[in-house]
Amino acid sequence: MSEHERNILVTSALPYANGDLHLGHMVEYLQTDIWVRFQKMRGHRCIFVCATDTHGTPIMLRAQKEGIAPEDLIARVGEVMSKDFSDFLVDFDNFHSTHSQENRELVETMYLRLRDAGHIRSEVIKQAFDEQENMFLPDRFVRGECPRCGAADQYGDSCESCGATYSPGDLKNPVSVLSGTPPSERESEHFFFRLGDFEEMLREWVSSGRLHESVSRKLEEWFDAGLKDWDISRDAPYFGFEIPDQPGKYFYVWLDAPVGYQASFLNLCKRRDDLDFDEFWGRDSKAELYHFIGKDIVYFHSLFWPAVLTGANYRTPTAVFAHGFLTVNGQKMSKSRGTFITARTYLDHLDPEYLRYYYASKLGAGIDDIDLNLEDFTARVNSDLVGKLVNIASRCAGFISKRFDGQLSDELMDPALFAEFTQASEGIAQAYESREFARAMREIMALADKANQFIDTHKPWVMAKDPEQLHAVQAVCTQGLNMFRVLMGFLKPVLPGIAQRAEEFLATGDMNWDSVSSPLLGTKIETFKPLAVRVDPQSVNAMVDASREDLKTSEKTKPMDPIADEIDINTFASVDLRVARIVNAQQVEGAEKLLQLTLDIGGETRNVFAGIKAAYDPETLIGRLTVMVANLKPRKMRFGLSEGMVLAAGPGGADIFILSPDEGAEPGMRIK
């Protein structure tokens, strides 16, 4: 390795092997891949590893539901994820699994070192237990009313309404997600990592510039609240690695998951003679180590992970790079709107490099969320990649091929302009290095504008009509193609596929960061073929529609809700069911699912809001008979007072059916 070459190991957070990758996930993997490709173009030794995160209760339960072994489930999901990553041109040096022999050996070694150094303690704790399913319940498998604000149907560890954090035992009216029954409490011995042992080290590490300053400020709140010991064990049944000498006790998934970074690299070391595990992970390692993660898992990667590494005598990360979440069209991804888009659904309809470019045009070094606005996506890709970048090559290549047998001029027409392009190299490189991808894209596209202005000024299509100006045509187009080549080199980390096709067209060989600074002169190019085509808005619409269709399919195949608790005949008799005629029906402004119905129940009208908008055009309901619960207590809603409930059946969405009684029924008639 030369004195200027860096030794870099890079990881992305491990995708959980319990579902499909979606476009929110892809923000991280594309950001990381772009950064890694840039480092490799600069000539550094940069290794990119990842793995599927495979342990935990959710995977165990999903495998049981499918009637297969957890190992079969994670193998299948891992294959699907690998294909999605490959098709998005994410180029891992190794993609492994946390359910591996390397991971087992490393996490056991880590645990034993921590235990022997006095950083592990045990404690008997009380936990929620599902008597029907005969298992302890993870926090998120208990739901109930928030103990602080009273919001219903909240997880056992935190409230999505008020943000409070608590333990499952604090919930009011808790129930098990698995059986729907109230959990009992049972005692169990658990093992805890003494995080507070590392407070001084962590304070220094957090403030050392290894994190974005906004992340460092956030972590200060955890120090102020006091570092709490971390429960690293779970009880059987559990899919994971059993703790040495502790039968029926398993490592919590969040302990062995980050060890998966080490395990994937160790697996790669076994196949490559040029890599040494300790060179990258040893306590005295001089290599650079970077983790790319989402801001939701900063706590684990910036407190627990550095502390565990230090306690087990490994090095800590050089830096942890956190990014924000993805919104689509300015809102949280939504299945009902078709904007919860899986990686595969996108790939079925659109070119992966278009998303790579769009994300790059939005990403900075901070943790701000980014928005995938589908109209802006279409316009920006068509404007920047097709209208600006590829347009330079397509405008020049035809003249060179037809008039000059593919031969470029022996000299540049405007060396100073070409130098302006190449001199932008270090500024753009600095933007890539600091993960300011949006700034890099702006600077590159500003240069693309200059290249197009140059061509527009000289108008080779006009000069080509004058035989005496043919030499000038060749010069203009040679200049244009060389500027295009520089831009393509700058964009190669983002657009590796288009860059490869450009390399073949220009017969330039594999471009690295420095090679584009020397112009192509006197060489021959190949026949130009389109490098990118415009995004068709219909393809975007089809992708959204397919995402909605995926939802309908999942709704139809999901199991029915469990039968509610039994009621006696007297309770049922107290429900006053009446025939009602719909005398008016209208849309509710600002409501996704509701229609406002005016119901005649025989000499009296009621206003009722019904969640049937997806199933019915309001005009088709007027005059129809239905059944309503007439003695339901009126409910004040954001849109007004609802004075009853319309009965309907069906799986939901567009498949909702109003129950019409016999035509002989009259409004107000009671149903017995």
Side-chain angles (χ1 to χ4, degrees), residues 160-450:
E160 293 180 325
S161 179
C162 71
T165 58
Y166 42 76
S167 65
D170 298 326
L171 283 174
K172 298 176 182 176
N173 302 315
V175 296
S176 164
V177 170
L178 300 181
S179 66
T181 61
S184 63
E185 271 194 344
R186 288 197 184 182
E187 291 187 341
S188 175
E189 183 183 23
H190 273 225
F191 297 89
F192 290 80
F193 171 63
R194 298 178 184 270
L195 184 62
D197 290 356
F198 300 89
E199 179 170 353
E200 184 178 346
M201 165 260 160
L202 287 172
R203 283 186 180 275
E204 181 181 344
W205 191 86
V206 164
S207 62
S208 64
R210 298 168 188 258
L211 306 166
H212 192 271
E213 61 181 57
S214 63
V215 175
S216 296
R217 287 196 302 271
K218 182 66 179 175
L219 290 174
E220 287 297 331
E221 297 176 12
W222 294 98
F223 290 117
D224 293 342
L227 298 180
K228 295 180 174 61
D229 292 353
W230 179 35
D231 189 345
I232 61 168
S233 65
R234 292 296 184 266
D235 293 281
Y238 192 81
F239 181 59
F241 295 140
E242 202 166 30
I243 298 176
D245 304 323
Q246 299 295 336
K249 304 292 182 180
Y250 290 79
F251 290 119
Y252 176 40
V253 61
W254 261 110
L255 181 64
D256 72 56
V259 178
Y261 301 141
Q262 294 180 313
S264 184
F265 183 69
L266 179 59
N267 177 261
L268 182 63
C269 289
K270 292 177 179 179
R271 305 195 311 273
R272 280 181 49 171
D273 294 337
D274 64 319
L275 294 177
D276 176 71
F277 182 83
D278 288 335
E279 183 184 2
F280 287 84
W281 287 103
R283 192 61 173 262
D284 299 322
S285 170
K286 298 297 188 292
E288 300 171 53
L289 170 61
Y290 301 102
H291 298 310
F292 283 75
I293 61 166
K295 63 183 179 182
D296 55 326
I297 53 175
V298 160
Y299 185 56
F300 291 101
H301 283 79
S302 302
L303 291 178
F304 290 134
W305 182 230
V308 165
L309 287 169
T310 300
N313 203 34
Y314 293 109
R315 57 86 49 85
T316 56
T318 307
V320 174
F321 299 141
H323 60 81
F325 299 138
L326 177 74
T327 57
V328 180
N329 293 337
Q331 299 181 63
K332 185 177 179 180
M333 291 190 294
S334 162
K335 291 182 177 180
S336 63
R337 289 189 293 267
T339 56
F340 191 95
I341 302 165
T342 67
R344 183 50 52 186
T345 300
Y346 176 96
L347 291 164
D348 288 342
H349 294 88
L350 294 166
D351 189 312
E353 292 192 276
Y354 295 166
L355 192 69
R356 290 177 67 100
Y357 176 75
Y358 191 77
Y359 281 176
S361 74
K362 295 274 190 171
L363 280 165
I367 59 173
D368 295 333
D369 296 345
I370 69 169
D371 184 52
L372 169 58
N373 181 287
L374 295 174
E375 286 189 10
D376 180 54
F377 165 81
T378 301
R380 186 171 302 203
V381 169
N382 290 344
S383 171
D384 289 2
L385 296 190
V386 181
K388 294 181 182 180
L389 179 70
V390 173
N391 192 44
I392 301 168
S394 63
R395 298 171 87 186
C396 297
F399 293 110
I400 296 293
S401 294
K402 294 175 184 176
R403 301 298 183 102
F404 308 102
D405 194 29
Q407 188 82 18
L408 297 175
S409 296
D410 292 331
E411 58 185 20
L412 288 172
M413 181 178 184
D414 190 340
L417 180 60
F418 181 78
E420 185 179 341
F421 276 59
T422 58
Q423 287 165 7
S425 170
E426 283 310 304
I428 293 170
Q430 193 278 328
Y432 271 119
E433 179 69 43
S434 59
R435 305 175 325 286
E436 295 286 355
F437 296 167
R439 174 160 65 88
M441 297 307 103
R442 288 195 300 271
E443 293 184 16
I444 292 168
M445 286 304 149
L447 291 173
D449 285 334
K450 289 188 176 183

